[in-house]
Amino acid sequence: MTDPLRPFLARQAFVLLDGALASELERRGADLADPLWSARLLIADPDAIRRLHADYYAAGADVAITASYQASFEGFAARGLDRSEAARLMRLSVELACAARDDFWSVPEHRCGRTRPLVAASIGPYGAVLADGSEYRGGYGLTLAQLMDFHRPRLEALLSAGPDLLACETLPSALEAEAIARVLADDFPDARAWFAFTCRDGAHTAEGGRFVDAAAALAGREQVLAVGVNCSAPAHVAALLAAARDVADKPLLAYPNSGERYDAADKCWHGKADDLVGYAPGWLDAGARLIGGCCRTGPAEIRALATWRRSLGDAGKN
């Protein structure tokens, strides 16, 4: 099974992921006050998504994550779209990122010192479809089989568009990770993915289980290329990764939010943003080999991480 991350890890200290999609689109003026969140722009303004992907590649990102986090057949059906149109929009999310990547790579100077960037199709959790912040709590009350049934058609639609890998992200529990991993093994054996959990503190997933147990449960699965943390407070990441390092048999990843706190009730962020570059050396020391940003981060933060990575040179590789 081919690992698309391997060429990057062979030549640099870490794979640089992109930053936020939805919050950056909002900063640029997009209205995402909608249950579909960033997936709304797949209908209303897909070129805005493509332009943002392009900006992340230009900032130095090795991977762009698609606008499919909150896309689902159920969510699009609530907007009156049938299954064929919903599947088309999910495929479009991958096509937009691929178009941005291919345009970027067509410029010769962009290839200097870089490996051709990747596209990761975002697989958001079931809670994202509820549009009420449930992914930051978990505890949906669904069985493993029900979660598998929910994710299977989304995976099929997104994989049919040909992403390089999947970003299974903001997962609040080991149960949902297990559901996705089983569907991949049963129905899509050629697919590859990373798994990122959202965590409430330096030891527990959003639902309350131990993060180290969630990471350990994914060990030995060949399709899982990396495991780690996203959309969590930067201050918790080093401890989470350090615990997982002893049980994970694959690279670790970290793309936390800005450090601000999201209030799901009023759908606003509160507090002060942290300095990702200031935290990143600790993540690298704790085993992170994929690093980027999530909510409330943007091209400026990714550019700063790219600058820091260049300063590491070969000394940054383990």
Side-chain angles (χ1 to χ4, degrees), residues 125-146:
Y126 174 81
V129 176
L130 302 179
D132 63 358
S134 289
E135 63 265 51
Y136 302 109
R137 301 187 300 272
Y140 315 136
L142 299 184
T143 65
L144 177 69
Q146 288 172 321

Side-chain angles (χ1 to χ4, degrees), residues 157-239:
L158 288 162
L159 286 168
S160 71
D164 298 294
L165 71 164
L166 302 171
C168 305
E169 54 184 0
T170 324
L171 302 173
S173 69
L175 179 67
E176 188 155 23
E178 175 69 15
I180 297 172
R182 286 201 188 186
V183 172
L184 292 179
D186 293 347
D187 300 318
F188 310 104
D190 294 329
R192 295 142 300 192
W194 76 58
F195 282 67
F197 295 85
T198 182
C199 295
R200 61 168 62 171
D201 54 31
H204 300 93
T205 66
E207 192 171 284
R210 294 201 314 160
F211 171 70
V212 67
D213 294 336
L218 294 170
R221 293 184 181 271
E222 187 181 6
Q223 290 176 277
V224 181
L225 302 183
V227 63
V229 180
N230 82 296
C231 212
S232 304
H236 298 323
V237 171

Side-chain angles (χ1 to χ4, degrees), residues 139-315:
Y140 315 136
L142 299 184
T143 65
L144 177 69
Q146 288 172 321
L147 287 168
M148 291 175 68
D149 289 344
F150 168 75
H151 282 290
R152 187 177 292 106
R154 302 171 73 216
L155 289 164
E156 181 178 17
L158 288 162
L159 286 168
S160 71
D164 298 294
L165 71 164
L166 302 171
C168 305
E169 54 184 0
T170 324
L171 302 173
S173 69
L175 179 67
E176 188 155 23
E178 175 69 15
I180 297 172
R182 286 201 188 186
V183 172
L184 292 179
D186 293 347
D187 300 318
F188 310 104
D190 294 329
R192 295 142 300 192
W194 76 58
F195 282 67
F197 295 85
T198 182
C199 295
R200 61 168 62 171
D201 54 31
H204 300 93
T205 66
E207 192 171 284
R210 294 201 314 160
F211 171 70
V212 67
D213 294 336
L218 294 170
R221 293 184 181 271
E222 187 181 6
Q223 290 176 277
V224 181
L225 302 183
V227 63
V229 180
N230 82 296
C231 212
S232 304
H236 298 323
V237 171
L240 290 160
L241 296 182
R245 193 173 193 172
D246 292 335
V247 300
D249 59 349
K250 50 194 88 267
L252 301 180
L253 66 99
Y255 56 114
N257 57 39
S258 66
E260 296 162 273
R261 180 181 59 82
Y262 183 67
D263 187 322
D266 64 13
K267 300 186 183 301
C268 289
W269 291 86
H270 304 282
K272 182 180 178 182
D274 290 326
D275 174 17
L276 291 192
V277 176
Y279 278 106
W283 305 338
L284 193 65
D285 289 344
R289 291 299 173 265
L290 291 80
I291 296 176
C294 199
C295 294
R296 306 285 282 185
T297 67
E301 286 77 15
I302 301 310
R303 189 173 294 108
L305 286 169
T307 299
W308 170 62
R309 184 176 65 178
R310 286 194 295 272
S311 76
L312 297 174
D314 290 340

Side-chain angles (χ1 to χ4, degrees), residues 6 27 107 162 251 264 300:
R6 187 171 299 166
R27 191 189 68 78
V107 179

